[in-house]
Amino acid sequence: MCHLAVAPDGGSLIASCYGDGRVVRMTLDAAGRPSAPVAAPAPDQPAPGLPGLSGLSGLPELSGAPGRAGEPPTPHAHQARFTPAGLVTIDLGLDLVRVWDVRGDALTERQRVALPAGTGPRHGVWHPSGHLYVVTEHSNEVFVLRPAPGGVLILVGGVPLPVTQVGGDFPAEIALTRDAQYAVIGIRGSNTLATVRVGGEGESLAPVALVESGVDWPRHHVIARDTVLVAGQRSDEIVSLTIDERTGVPGRVRHRVDAPTPTCLLPDRA
């Protein structure tokens, strides 16, 4: 298991299982105690009749990671996110974005959006404009998807991350600034933070800058107001950097806190 997501109403929990790629749902009682898990069908099984995506014509250079495209795909569910378009899960191993309906205790898969082979989609964030931004771990890109008539997601664009090396850099988390005009992506390897600008009506992204994260192996980060908090998994610390809200670019490290092998941060919503 590598990621947990709680439904907006607090009534259920979705677990993404990296090892076998399964997506698991558990109901939560009033005290937050989970029920027995109910697993959705294995993601590597054919899903006839599911609307998906086959054509990528007219998009920017989004060719995937050539060094991985020929390898046998293995399911690796990496994130679940509740969105206005439905429950969305991201499978890094199968290069899939999957959309689900929650019916009773069960999950019913509604759609699969296939990204280019070898891209390795990892995490996504929902933009207020109604677009889903998905960062890829293997090809160092951010894809843009939006809802279409019929309740499906379609791929409408994307952008390569600036000055990164495929095979040496591994994007991890993506988060929006307070005004949602920028997205900030953590990149392991070069240990940097990339900023991209949101354009149009949310359907286009443009690289802005690449800056030092201040940690070794920025596994995860969150943005709270004008500050980005970064978990340095290999440097055993969490750092804070102020974001210039005019440009969306983080500045120098302001504070450091020791933390053994931090891998995920959860902001206090109180």
Side-chain angles (χ1 to χ4, degrees), residues 1 45 202:
M1 185 183 301
Q45 298 299 313

Side-chain angles (χ1 to χ4, degrees), residues 5-9 12-14 25 80-88 102 107 126:
V6 176
D9 64 4
S12 62
L13 175 75
I14 304 296
R25 182 180 185 271
R81 183 171 291 277
F82 288 91
T83 78
L87 174 65
V88 173
V102 180
L107 296 175
W126 186 264

Side-chain angles (χ1 to χ4, degrees), residues 53 55-56 59 62 113-116 143-146 153-157:
L53 180 73
L56 299 173
L59 295 180
L62 299 170
V113 180
L115 301 186
F143 288 94
V144 182
L145 298 90
R146 68 169 173 82
L153 290 175
I154 61 172
L155 181 60
V156 296

Side-chain angles (χ1 to χ4, degrees), residues 102-123:
V102 180
R103 297 172 180 171
D105 291 336
L107 296 175
T108 302
E109 191 175 5
R110 186 201 316 159
Q111 183 197 12
R112 295 182 179 184
V113 180
L115 301 186
T119 50
R122 178 182 173 93
H123 280 189

Side-chain angles (χ1 to χ4, degrees), residues 196-212:
V196 296
R197 179 187 297 109
V198 177
E201 296 182 355
E203 78 284 356
S204 64
L205 299 173
V208 174
L210 189 72
V211 300
E212 295 293 330

Side-chain angles (χ1 to χ4, degrees), residues 3-267:
H3 186 269
L4 297 174
V6 176
D9 64 4
S12 62
L13 175 75
I14 304 296
S16 300
C17 302
Y18 185 86
D20 62 8
R22 287 188 180 272
V23 176
V24 177
R25 182 180 185 271
M26 290 164 275
T27 58
L28 300 175
D29 66 16
R33 291 184 293 263
S35 68
V38 178
D44 54 347
Q45 298 299 313
L50 286 178
L53 180 73
S54 57
L56 299 173
S57 60
L59 295 180
E61 291 293 330
L62 299 170
S63 56
R68 300 187 59 90
E71 298 179 9
T74 302
H76 292 307
H78 212 289
Q79 188 196 42
R81 183 171 291 277
F82 288 91
T83 78
L87 174 65
V88 173
T89 64
I90 298 173
D91 193 295
L92 186 149
L94 298 181
D95 302 308
L96 289 177
V97 176
R98 307 170 75 192
V99 185
W100 305 81
D101 291 322
V102 180
R103 297 172 180 171
D105 291 336
L107 296 175
T108 302
E109 191 175 5
R110 186 201 316 159
Q111 183 197 12
R112 295 182 179 184
V113 180
L115 301 186
T119 50
R122 178 182 173 93
H123 280 189
V125 64
W126 186 264
H127 191 265
S129 65
H131 293 81
L132 177 69
Y133 302 146
V134 178
V135 65
T136 63
E137 181 173 328
H138 296 154
S139 64
N140 300 10
E141 298 166 297
V142 181
F143 288 94
V144 182
L145 298 90
R146 68 169 173 82
V152 299
L153 290 175
I154 61 172
L155 181 60
V156 296
V159 63
L161 293 175
V163 201
T164 60
Q165 180 182 356
V166 173
D169 288 328
F170 304 95
E173 180 62 291
I174 179 170
L176 298 175
T177 56
R178 174 163 51 178
D179 60 6
Q181 295 301 304
Y182 300 92
V184 177
I185 299 95
I187 303 173
R188 298 160 297 171
S190 59
N191 296 332
T192 51
L193 298 173
T195 297
V196 296
R197 179 187 297 109
V198 177
E201 296 182 355
E203 78 284 356
S204 64
L205 299 173
V208 174
L210 189 72
V211 300
E212 295 293 330
S213 68
V215 301
D216 186 4
W217 212 250
R219 175 69 178 268
H220 191 255
H221 67 274
V222 296
I223 296 176
R225 297 182 291 277
D226 65 345
T227 301
V228 56
L229 302 171
V230 185
Q233 183 177 3
R234 294 182 178 174
S235 52
D236 297 319
E237 61 184 341
I238 298 169
V239 303
S240 65
L241 306 90
T242 300
I243 293 179
D244 184 338
E245 296 190 288
R246 300 168 300 173
T247 63
V249 178
R252 295 181 179 180
V253 172
R254 295 175 55 196
H255 302 286
R256 296 181 182 272
V257 176
D258 293 338
T261 322
T263 58
C264 185
L265 302 175
L266 183 65

